Amino acid sequence: EVFHNMRGDGLMNSAVKMFDGLSKDGLTHEALELFSQIKDKGQMPDVVAHTAVIEAYVNAGQAKEALKVYMRMLASGVLPNAYTYNVLIKGLVASGDAKLVKEAKTYVEEMVEKRGIKPSAAVCVGVYEGLMKVGLEEEGKEVLEMLKSKGLVPEEEKVRDALKNKRGPAFRTVMNVLYGK
């Protein structure tokens, strides 16, 4: 079903979504590099194809399958970009499964430590909230503190937007840890 939905220009739509996602997250250089690869080679980079499949599984609520595709992607030598991480992490958090939510924390750390990629505000907030919901609030704080210590905190305005309509402990903790407010 996943592959059936990707027929036609579905892969190009995924490339456009990835381009937009990278641009919105302030990763203009990566977005332009993606665009030039498509233009110069006349073919889709492998990261786009893999991420499209990961995103299809995430959208279908199948986070475990999305994680399997991610692992196969790495095994085949294809490196994730910021959009790949954002899609995977959001999917793991949305699963509500404590083990998968904890995995999301691992991938935030990987994207920062191994790849030097700054997570989006939505990912920062989502991972914290996801960990909090499964009773791992301290681990959520650790993620936020790690991002702050590395200088990879998203702009306050974007974090406030990601926290829109959310008050209470999640809002206060995220704002306090990241910005001292």
Side-chain angles (χ1 to χ4, degrees), residues 54-73:
I54 292 167
E55 190 166 29
Y57 277 123
V58 164
N59 290 341
Q62 297 180 31
K64 283 183 183 178
E65 293 302 316
L67 188 55
K68 286 179 188 175
V69 173
Y70 177 77
M71 294 301 186
R72 283 196 300 272
M73 179 180 99

Side-chain angles (χ1 to χ4, degrees), residues 3-168:
F3 293 106
H4 176 74
N5 291 336
M6 290 175 59
R7 279 187 319 167
D9 64 356
L11 201 51
M12 186 52 82
N13 288 341
S14 293
V16 170
K17 284 186 354 189
M18 185 178 286
F19 182 82
D20 287 346
L22 290 168
S23 297
K24 285 179 186 168
D25 287 343
L27 298 163
T28 309
H29 176 72
E30 277 195 32
L32 293 174
E33 190 176 305
L34 172 69
F35 180 75
S36 70
Q37 285 178 2
I38 293 169
K39 185 175 158 253
D40 296 345
K41 295 178 183 174
Q43 64 186 37
M44 201 64 61
D46 287 343
V47 68
V48 175
H50 283 90
T51 303
V53 176
I54 292 167
E55 190 166 29
Y57 277 123
V58 164
N59 290 341
Q62 297 180 31
K64 283 183 183 178
E65 293 302 316
L67 188 55
K68 286 179 188 175
V69 173
Y70 177 77
M71 294 301 186
R72 283 196 300 272
M73 179 180 99
L74 293 180
S76 68
V78 178
L79 295 178
N81 62 22
Y83 189 78
T84 308
Y85 278 116
N86 286 341
V87 167
L88 178 65
I89 292 166
K90 286 178 189 176
L92 293 172
V93 168
S95 74
D97 177 310
K99 185 178 176 189
L100 293 177
V101 173
K102 197 167 181 170
E103 283 280 316
K105 177 187 179 217
T106 302
Y107 292 111
V108 171
E109 291 167 348
E110 178 182 297
M111 81 186 286
V112 168
E113 301 284 341
K114 284 188 177 178
R115 313 271 184 247
I117 299 172
K118 180 179 180 176
S120 69
V123 165
C124 295
V125 170
V127 168
Y128 174 75
E129 286 184 316
L131 287 164
M132 190 176 82
K133 285 178 185 172
V134 297
L136 299 170
E137 185 175 358
E138 284 307 310
E139 289 195 36
K141 285 180 187 177
E142 288 172 14
V143 171
L144 299 175
E145 288 167 357
M146 180 266 300
L147 293 173
K148 186 174 181 178
S149 73
K150 297 200 175 293
L152 295 173
V153 174
E155 297 170 24
E156 185 176 342
E157 183 179 318
K158 289 184 179 184
V159 171
R160 284 185 181 279
D161 192 46
L163 287 165
K164 187 172 42 186
N165 301 325
K166 298 174 186 176
R167 293 289 175 248

